[in-house]
Amino acid sequence: MKFLPTSLLILALAIAIDFAFDLSPLQDFCVAINDPEVFVNGKFRKDPKQVTADDFLFEGFRYPGNTANLLRSKVTPAFVHQSQGLNTLGISIARIDFALGGLNPPHTHPRGTEILVVTEGTLLVGFVTSNQLNNTLFTKVLYKGDVFVFPIGLIHFQLNIGKTPALAFATLSSQNPDFITIANVVFRLKPPISADVLTKAFQVDKKVVDYLQAQFWYDNN
Ligand SMILES: *[C@@H]1O[C@H](CO)[C@@H](O)[C@H](O)[C@H]1NC(C)=O
């Protein structure tokens, strides 16, 4: 009798772990169609008879992203919205271009672990652990060919510290990992988060909060 609850618990845990991230596919592919009228968890499936090789092709990485912006960086995502063949496959990719000094600012992906490979240039990268692990910074300088992992949900960044533009590709463990850019979600909101909240949270004067809220917070993705 004692075994039953334990094995059930293990099964429940296994199911919980299996379903914590993107679902496994139930067929060879499930190419998405965009239906803006209806909202479901994921995307509708295109008739498999209508699916062609083009549904698995994404040409958006052929040319560099436009880094002429405040951050001097540009993320070009190939998530399920851009590349419908990814639907249900639990994976996606992004191209990240960096001009000199370009920064991909601190952000998280709520639904994906990221593995980054540097194909040009030199990047200072890092992620910060959660509160239980004392918010420790794990940081490295990456050179061409180096690979680094950013665990799901953790805040991370990449900065071009080299003397040339830099280029990296990031694969993510979700068809739709999404982005939460820290500065933007705190300071860019309209209407804003109450200054009472921000002055206390950041332990600064209202003047500083007003200043930060008045800035232009660019979204590089
Ligand atoms: C985090 O800090 C606490 C308090 O100083 C310490 O007891 C604990 O070992 C630290 N944990 C890690 C993972 O460093």
Side-chain angles (χ1 to χ4, degrees), residues 98 100 117-124 141-146 159-168:
F98 301 84
L100 282 184
V117 56
V118 179
T119 58
E120 296 295 338
T122 308
L123 295 177
L124 172 70
V141 174
L142 304 185
Y143 301 94
K144 181 174 177 171
D146 290 354
L159 173 67
N160 181 5
I161 58 167
K163 293 184 166 60
T164 61
L167 177 61

Side-chain angles (χ1 to χ4, degrees):
M1 286 305 282
K2 264 191 165 174
F3 287 116
L4 189 60
T6 313
S7 50
L8 276 180
L9 180 66
I10 290 168
L11 182 67
L13 273 175
I15 290 170
I17 290 164
D18 279 352
F19 287 82
F21 305 112
D22 289 11
L23 294 171
S24 301
L26 302 174
Q27 57 279 305
D28 282 4
F29 50 73
C30 181
V31 173
I33 46 173
N34 288 318
D35 186 344
E37 301 296 316
V38 185
F39 298 95
V40 295
N41 184 22
K43 295 269 189 194
F44 280 102
R45 185 183 186 193
K46 186 175 182 178
D47 179 351
K49 294 194 198 75
Q50 307 294 319
V51 170
T52 68
D54 282 338
D55 288 308
F56 301 93
L57 173 68
F58 179 74
E59 296 174 336
F61 290 173
R62 285 190 182 180
Y63 305 105
N66 182 0
T67 57
N69 58 62
L70 286 175
L71 294 169
R72 304 183 63 72
S73 74
K74 182 69 187 172
V75 179
T76 306
F79 298 171
V80 71
H81 309 298
Q82 295 83 22
S83 187
Q84 283 74 20
L86 291 173
N87 195 38
T88 76
L89 299 182
I91 196 168
S92 59
I93 189 167
R95 170 184 176 130
I96 315 170
D97 287 274
F98 301 84
L100 282 184
L103 172 68
N104 192 14
H107 64 280
T108 80
H109 304 287
R111 289 177 291 279
T113 287
E114 169 175 341
I115 183 161
L116 180 101
V117 56
V118 179
T119 58
E120 296 295 338
T122 308
L123 295 177
L124 172 70
V125 307
F127 68 81
V128 182
T129 63
S130 60
N131 297 7
Q132 284 180 11
L133 295 182
N134 297 344
N135 303 139
T136 308
L137 174 65
F138 285 69
T139 184
K140 272 287 174 193
V141 174
L142 304 185
Y143 301 94
K144 181 174 177 171
D146 290 354
V147 173
F148 200 78
V149 176
F150 304 97
I152 184 168
L154 300 188
I155 294 175
H156 60 281
F157 60 85
Q158 296 112 18
L159 173 67
N160 181 5
I161 58 167
K163 293 184 166 60
T164 61
L167 177 61
F169 292 87
T171 305
L172 295 118
S173 62
S174 169
Q175 68 178 31
N176 184 25
D178 213 333
F179 302 86
I180 298 174
T181 305
I182 308 308
N184 297 15
V185 298
V186 175
F187 297 116
R188 192 184 63 169
L189 305 189
K190 304 248 181 328
I193 298 177
S194 155
D196 269 358
V197 172
L198 297 180
T199 51
K200 286 176 178 146
F202 289 88
Q203 298 174 24
V204 293
D205 287 347
K206 180 153 186 310
K207 266 186 297 189
V208 178
V209 167
D210 290 344
Y211 173 83
L212 288 167
Q213 287 179 331
Q215 301 309 302
F216 176 71
W217 298 100
Y218 180 71
D219 229 338
N220 73 339
N221 56 76

